[in-house]
Amino acid sequence: MVTIKSKKEIELMRKVCKIVALTYQELEKHIKPGITTYELDQIAEKTMRSLGAIPAEKGYNPGIKGVPKFPASICVSINDEVIHGIPSKHRVLKEGDIVSIDTVALKEGFNGDAARTFIVGETTKENKRLVEVTKQAFFEGIKYAISGNRIGDVCHTIGEFVRSHGFSVVKEFQGHGIGKAMHEDPGIPNYGKAGRGIRLEPGMTLAIEPMVIQGKSNILQLEDGWTIVTEDGSMSAHYENTILITEKEPEILTIL
Ligand code: MG
């Protein structure tokens, strides 16, 4: 069921999403060669808690047999890792890496979700283009996140934009509604047909998140039960914000 948030609930969504934005502002300062992904996780958790939120990914149980609870406050996925990488004291960022971080804050019963891909120092032209296209795919998609349009209009736009730049979208994972639950209806794939799916209405809050691969779209899951990597070893980037559907243009809640 797709939930329509009340005025009061929208205020709570704005609050928690601002904390996610502030967490990225803090994380960005520390994206440098030499830092471990564990240290980034600690910084994110400390920031969220200092602002009165709980890192919702920590202890998250996907409810799939054999998959352990997620052990950290952020997902950190480097280079060919697409999403759901687990922070580690042994994983050190190095010059040229592209680092995708995805995190969710929970406060007063509501969740805010966003992802960013950071470049460590300098990287290749092609990696930079991947990161830029992934981010721009989000902004192209939300041009259609207008009351009265259908969700397929957004999905189709993202998929076509990515394809037009010679990259692939991940098919197995998708964006989602968000609110009291981290994942609510509708599912929002990064591809699809225009004019299909639910009709957008003011008060819907949606996490829209292009996951893009330089090479083929095929992915694999590592034995840790979480980390998703590209099958062909090519680079991947991720960009996500929680948005609010309004009477006019969508409001991006996880950007300051
Ligand atoms: Mg997310």
Side-chain angles (χ1 to χ4, degrees), residues 57 102-104 113-115 176 209 238 240:
E57 287 176 355
D102 189 357
T103 196
V104 182
D113 189 356
H176 47 90
E209 48 176 325
H238 186 196
E240 174 183 27

PDB file of all heavy atoms in Angstrom, residues 57 102-104 113-115 176 209 238 240, ligand 1:
ATOM      1  N   GLU A  57      19.948   1.336   9.489  1.00  0.00           N
ATOM      2  CA  GLU A  57      20.486   0.136   8.832  1.00  0.00           C
ATOM      3  C   GLU A  57      21.137  -0.808   9.837  1.00  0.00           C
ATOM      4  O   GLU A  57      21.273  -1.996   9.579  1.00  0.00           O
ATOM      5  CB  GLU A  57      21.513   0.540   7.759  1.00  0.00           C
ATOM      6  CG  GLU A  57      20.856   1.144   6.539  1.00  0.00           C
ATOM      7  CD  GLU A  57      21.860   1.652   5.500  1.00  0.00           C
ATOM      8  OE1 GLU A  57      23.077   1.636   5.756  1.00  0.00           O
ATOM      9  OE2 GLU A  57      21.405   2.086   4.432  1.00  0.00           O
ATOM     10  N   ASP A 102      25.448   4.536   1.366  1.00  0.00           N
ATOM     11  CA  ASP A 102      23.984   4.547   1.451  1.00  0.00           C
ATOM     12  C   ASP A 102      23.627   4.456   2.925  1.00  0.00           C
ATOM     13  O   ASP A 102      24.150   3.585   3.628  1.00  0.00           O
ATOM     14  CB  ASP A 102      23.431   3.332   0.686  1.00  0.00           C
ATOM     15  CG  ASP A 102      21.920   3.378   0.525  1.00  0.00           C
ATOM     16  OD1 ASP A 102      21.270   4.307   1.050  1.00  0.00           O
ATOM     17  OD2 ASP A 102      21.380   2.468  -0.134  1.00  0.00           O
ATOM     18  N   THR A 103      22.782   5.371   3.401  1.00  0.00           N
ATOM     19  CA  THR A 103      22.419   5.298   4.809  1.00  0.00           C
ATOM     20  C   THR A 103      20.995   5.771   5.052  1.00  0.00           C
ATOM     21  O   THR A 103      20.441   6.538   4.254  1.00  0.00           O
ATOM     22  CB  THR A 103      23.431   6.078   5.684  1.00  0.00           C
ATOM     23  OG1 THR A 103      23.273   5.674   7.047  1.00  0.00           O
ATOM     24  CG2 THR A 103      23.249   7.584   5.578  1.00  0.00           C
ATOM     25  N   VAL A 104      20.441   5.299   6.150  1.00  0.00           N
ATOM     26  CA  VAL A 104      19.055   5.620   6.525  1.00  0.00           C
ATOM     27  C   VAL A 104      19.048   6.055   7.983  1.00  0.00           C
ATOM     28  O   VAL A 104      19.618   5.369   8.835  1.00  0.00           O
ATOM     29  CB  VAL A 104      18.138   4.384   6.368  1.00  0.00           C
ATOM     30  CG1 VAL A 104      16.689   4.737   6.718  1.00  0.00           C
ATOM     31  CG2 VAL A 104      18.217   3.818   4.955  1.00  0.00           C
ATOM     32  N   ASP A 113      16.287   8.434   3.734  1.00  0.00           N
ATOM     33  CA  ASP A 113      17.212   7.543   3.019  1.00  0.00           C
ATOM     34  C   ASP A 113      17.887   8.321   1.884  1.00  0.00           C
ATOM     35  O   ASP A 113      17.208   8.998   1.107  1.00  0.00           O
ATOM     36  CB  ASP A 113      16.373   6.386   2.441  1.00  0.00           C
ATOM     37  CG  ASP A 113      17.206   5.261   1.851  1.00  0.00           C
ATOM     38  OD1 ASP A 113      18.438   5.373   1.797  1.00  0.00           O
ATOM     39  OD2 ASP A 113      16.578   4.254   1.433  1.00  0.00           O
ATOM     40  N   ALA A 114      19.209   8.203   1.803  1.00  0.00           N
ATOM     41  CA  ALA A 114      19.930   8.823   0.683  1.00  0.00           C
ATOM     42  C   ALA A 114      21.230   8.070   0.442  1.00  0.00           C
ATOM     43  O   ALA A 114      21.740   7.390   1.338  1.00  0.00           O
ATOM     44  CB  ALA A 114      20.215  10.300   0.956  1.00  0.00           C
ATOM     45  N   ALA A 115      21.765   8.212  -0.757  1.00  0.00           N
ATOM     46  CA  ALA A 115      23.067   7.618  -1.103  1.00  0.00           C
ATOM     47  C   ALA A 115      23.862   8.628  -1.935  1.00  0.00           C
ATOM     48  O   ALA A 115      23.285   9.431  -2.672  1.00  0.00           O
ATOM     49  CB  ALA A 115      22.869   6.328  -1.894  1.00  0.00           C
ATOM     50  N   HIS A 176      12.052   2.997  -3.701  1.00  0.00           N
ATOM     51  CA  HIS A 176      10.908   2.540  -2.912  1.00  0.00           C
ATOM     52  C   HIS A 176      10.223   3.710  -2.222  1.00  0.00           C
ATOM     53  O   HIS A 176      10.851   4.746  -1.979  1.00  0.00           O
ATOM     54  CB  HIS A 176      11.410   1.550  -1.845  1.00  0.00           C
ATOM     55  CG  HIS A 176      12.636   2.056  -1.109  1.00  0.00           C
ATOM     56  ND1 HIS A 176      12.555   2.797   0.037  1.00  0.00           N
ATOM     57  CD2 HIS A 176      13.963   1.965  -1.395  1.00  0.00           C
ATOM     58  CE1 HIS A 176      13.772   3.123   0.431  1.00  0.00           C
ATOM     59  NE2 HIS A 176      14.662   2.653  -0.431  1.00  0.00           N
ATOM     60  N   GLU A 209      16.585   6.074  -6.542  1.00  0.00           N
ATOM     61  CA  GLU A 209      18.007   5.756  -6.403  1.00  0.00           C
ATOM     62  C   GLU A 209      18.621   5.018  -7.595  1.00  0.00           C
ATOM     63  O   GLU A 209      18.711   3.797  -7.595  1.00  0.00           O
ATOM     64  CB  GLU A 209      18.231   4.933  -5.130  1.00  0.00           C
ATOM     65  CG  GLU A 209      17.314   3.748  -4.914  1.00  0.00           C
ATOM     66  CD  GLU A 209      17.698   2.960  -3.654  1.00  0.00           C
ATOM     67  OE1 GLU A 209      18.898   2.845  -3.338  1.00  0.00           O
ATOM     68  OE2 GLU A 209      16.789   2.446  -2.980  1.00  0.00           O
ATOM     69  N   HIS A 238      26.090   5.018  -7.307  1.00  0.00           N
ATOM     70  CA  HIS A 238      24.754   5.028  -6.708  1.00  0.00           C
ATOM     71  C   HIS A 238      24.462   6.451  -6.243  1.00  0.00           C
ATOM     72  O   HIS A 238      25.334   7.113  -5.683  1.00  0.00           O
ATOM     73  CB  HIS A 238      24.801   4.058  -5.509  1.00  0.00           C
ATOM     74  CG  HIS A 238      23.488   3.813  -4.842  1.00  0.00           C
ATOM     75  ND1 HIS A 238      23.401   3.245  -3.581  1.00  0.00           N
ATOM     76  CD2 HIS A 238      22.200   4.033  -5.231  1.00  0.00           C
ATOM     77  CE1 HIS A 238      22.128   3.119  -3.240  1.00  0.00           C
ATOM     78  NE2 HIS A 238      21.380   3.591  -4.218  1.00  0.00           N
ATOM     79  N   GLU A 240      21.057   8.702  -4.464  1.00  0.00           N
ATOM     80  CA  GLU A 240      19.679   8.565  -3.965  1.00  0.00           C
ATOM     81  C   GLU A 240      19.287   9.747  -3.101  1.00  0.00           C
ATOM     82  O   GLU A 240      20.104  10.266  -2.342  1.00  0.00           O
ATOM     83  CB  GLU A 240      19.592   7.287  -3.107  1.00  0.00           C
ATOM     84  CG  GLU A 240      18.262   7.094  -2.398  1.00  0.00           C
ATOM     85  CD  GLU A 240      18.241   5.851  -1.505  1.00  0.00           C
ATOM     86  OE1 GLU A 240      19.309   5.429  -1.026  1.00  0.00           O
ATOM     87  OE2 GLU A 240      17.144   5.312  -1.294  1.00  0.00           O
TER      88      GLU A 240
HETATM   89 MG    MG B   1      19.247   3.999   0.534  1.00  0.00          MG
END
